[in-house]
Amino acid sequence: MQRPPYEPWRETSGVFRWRLGVRPLDLADWIEIDDHYDAEINAKARIMAEHPSTAFVALDDAEPECAEVANAITAHLRHRFPERCAGLMLDTALHPLDAIARHIQEDLVVMGERNGHMVVVAGSVCFPNRWDLPSKLGRTMTEVHEPVALLNDQLERVIDDVLRRLSPERPMWRLGWGVIDTDDLYQPLDGTAAPRPIDAAPSDHFLRIERETLTRHPITNCVLFTIRTHQMALPDVKASDAESARALADAIASMPDPIADYKQLRTTGAAIAAWLRSH
Ligand code: HEM
């Protein structure tokens, strides 16, 4: 049975709290390609055709930053995945961030300096875990994280420090996770997602693991935030490793109420945790 590719809930030692958990990134592992590549690239094309203003935003003056990022990822893909990407050319009719995002499974958010602050200057996010990309445009990290319960109270300063210290020579990565009641990766908040299942049983839930990278790019000094969403059905998580499933149950059961509310697990979390622990 396949295991989850990452297990960030095991780092919470039984008690849930937000964790920064950034670590040095080996650039050889910047972009991940797996068996879901074709399905997710097709899904991105469909989402960009049907909901372009939900999944893509950019300030008018963000093209240089987005072009730098697009060129860097293109060079990386050609070098790292030559069988698939040696001849990769971007569609010049598209915005450069949109053009590169259509070739990788990652969602992309670009941050640049405006009026002395690092703000979101562009984003291509087809697989948001119930958050709203358009409302983040032009916002600082503190503003971006404002809707996330307790996050700024616990981590605002450290997140700003990470961003300030990030240099082209020292890229970083981190993990996040959540449990939701659908395997549809497209989960924006503006009413364009498919209707939510009603009263999904614990065994109908899915684990979403977000692998996020942070890289700084030297020409424009922008920062690229990539979000790669891995997904697994909860029964598969449970079958793959009982100990890991128990640790996941502990993390869910120990979420403070405001965080359980934010993650929409306040009413279902206890049942999901009990099911994960059961034989
Ligand atoms: C320096 C860059 C950033 C750092 C260090 C950072 C860090 C964090 C951390 C520690 C969390 C707590 C949840 C978790 O463990 O994943 C979080 C949550 C979140 N962040 Fe960030 N973040 C950064 C940039 C961004 C950007 C650019 C966006 C979007 C524009 C964003 C959107 C979110 C959202 C939507 C959540 C809630 C996730 C959830 O539902 O679990 N973050 N971030």
Side-chain angles (χ1 to χ4, degrees), residues 40-268:
E40 291 178 11
I41 295 305
N42 290 339
K44 279 190 170 194
R46 199 176 58 245
I47 290 162
M48 282 305 292
E50 292 172 5
H51 310 292
S53 58
T54 302
F56 183 81
V57 294
L59 297 178
D60 289 342
D61 61 359
E63 280 228 18
E65 287 140 324
C66 294
E68 181 177 14
V69 159
N71 290 339
I73 299 176
T74 304
H76 172 77
L77 292 174
R78 286 184 186 144
H79 177 72
R80 178 71 178 74
F81 304 102
E83 323 76 46
R84 187 187 287 271
C85 303
L88 174 64
M89 300 292 285
L90 298 189
D91 182 345
T92 52
L94 298 175
H95 189 286
L97 191 68
D98 182 17
I100 188 61
R102 288 172 190 249
H103 289 282
I104 53 178
Q105 289 161 271
E106 278 79 0
D107 284 321
L108 305 174
V109 177
V110 180
M111 289 169 273
E113 196 172 318
R114 300 289 184 278
N115 304 318
H117 296 284
M118 287 301 276
V119 299
V120 173
V121 299
S124 167
V125 179
C126 288
F127 307 136
N129 190 9
R130 299 198 170 134
W131 58 278
D132 179 64
L133 173 67
S135 65
K136 310 295 187 199
L137 191 62
R139 303 291 183 196
T140 63
M141 279 310 92
T142 302
E143 291 165 341
V144 159
H145 289 127
E146 196 273 325
V148 188
L150 305 183
L151 184 61
N152 281 333
D153 299 342
Q154 297 180 359
L155 291 180
E156 178 181 4
R157 290 253 309 280
V158 264
I159 290 175
D160 280 348
D161 279 352
V162 167
L163 209 51
R164 220 179 1 258
R165 286 205 313 264
L166 189 73
S167 68
E169 297 75 31
R170 294 183 55 200
M172 311 295 292
W173 71 289
R174 67 175 301 277
L175 294 165
W177 62 274
V179 171
I180 70 168
D181 51 7
T182 169
D183 62 352
D184 187 348
L185 288 172
Y186 181 70
Q187 293 297 316
L189 293 176
D190 63 355
T192 59
R196 288 181 64 169
I198 297 165
D199 294 337
S203 56
D204 291 331
H205 281 69
F206 292 81
L207 175 67
R208 287 175 69 127
I209 303 165
E210 295 186 0
R211 175 186 181 269
E212 303 164 353
T213 74
L214 285 160
T215 50
R216 193 179 282 277
H217 299 266
I219 303 172
T220 60
N221 203 32
C222 71
V223 168
L224 175 67
F225 182 61
T226 69
I227 310 158
R228 175 61 207 285
T229 303
H230 295 271
Q231 176 162 268
M232 222 173 141
L234 274 198
D236 292 341
V237 178
K238 191 172 160 180
S240 71
D241 181 350
E243 197 190 317
S244 183
R246 268 196 304 276
L248 180 60
D250 290 347
I252 293 171
S254 64
M255 265 180 201
D257 286 347
I259 295 179
D261 274 336
Y262 173 78
K263 290 195 171 264
Q264 302 183 16
L265 289 171
R266 178 77 168 263
T267 52
T268 50

